[in-house]
Amino acid sequence: TPNGGYQFVSWGGQVSGTTNQIVVTMNTNKTVVPRFRVPGDDFEQRIQLGGATVTYTGLQNTGATKETGEPNHAGNPGGKSLWWTWTAPASGAATLTTAGSNFRNALAVYTGATVSNLTTVATNLAGVGTNTSAVAFAAVGGTTYHFAVDGFNGTNGSVVLNLSLP
């Protein structure tokens, strides 16, 4: 670190669609300061998805943040977003849902290279009394899409992301 301390970053790998990362920092007084880093919290650290059908489970947006320049997903200010990226293996009608999540959420699909310069493809806000957002969009083979799931007005919980491109 800039102050002369040390930092160790460990990834738990991807097993059944889950990842864990912890950052352990030792300051100059040799005090260990562990801090859990939420996978996918930042656009630049988004989680890579592959394949035509994916279910991603085991991730919570507790501790996640909203970045400077990040859009309001589905028009909601949110505040605890997680990001994934996916390159469509073929063209077709893609569907993306948060079915199985345990909190009201906003879902958005974008294209673009930076968080402050995204083009909206599709968005949806889970209705009152439901925890599922769903979108359908015409995926173009070889195009990279970015998915964001955010808690409605900053709520948090377990995220399930379901992607299908038949």
Side-chain angles (χ1 to χ4, degrees):
T1 64
N3 299 346
Y6 300 91
Q7 189 175 66
F8 169 76
V9 179
S10 173
W11 280 93
Q14 187 168 34
V15 180
S16 301
T18 63
T19 61
N20 294 303
Q21 182 185 26
I22 189 164
V23 176
V24 178
T25 303
M26 182 182 294
N27 62 24
T28 54
N29 295 326
K30 296 189 171 96
T31 303
V32 174
V33 184
R35 179 180 55 88
F36 180 73
R37 177 182 255 166
V38 179
D41 182 24
D42 296 326
F43 181 80
E44 291 299 320
Q45 303 297 320
R46 56 200 180 274
I47 299 163
Q48 179 73 44
L49 300 175
T53 303
V54 179
T55 296
Y56 195 98
T57 63
L59 190 59
Q60 294 201 8
N61 71 332
T62 304
T65 59
K66 183 173 185 172
E67 295 175 75
T68 301
E70 183 174 336
N72 290 338
H73 310 296
N76 187 268
K80 296 179 185 255
S81 60
L82 298 175
W83 290 92
W84 291 262
T85 190
W86 173 74
T87 300
S91 295
T95 57
L96 185 67
T97 77
T98 60
S101 297
N102 68 359
F103 65 105
R104 189 175 178 197
N105 58 74
L107 175 64
V109 178
Y110 301 98
T111 57
T114 64
V115 74
S116 59
N117 192 20
L118 296 172
T119 300
T120 303
V121 175
T123 66
N124 185 247
L125 179 63
V128 175
T130 182
N131 297 328
T132 300
S133 297
V135 296
F137 62 100
V140 176
T143 300
T144 298
Y145 297 91
H146 312 293
F147 309 140
V149 175
D150 202 347
F152 171 76
N153 290 339
T155 58
N156 58 277
S158 296
V159 178
V160 177
L161 191 68
N162 307 285
L163 171 65
S164 177
L165 178 68

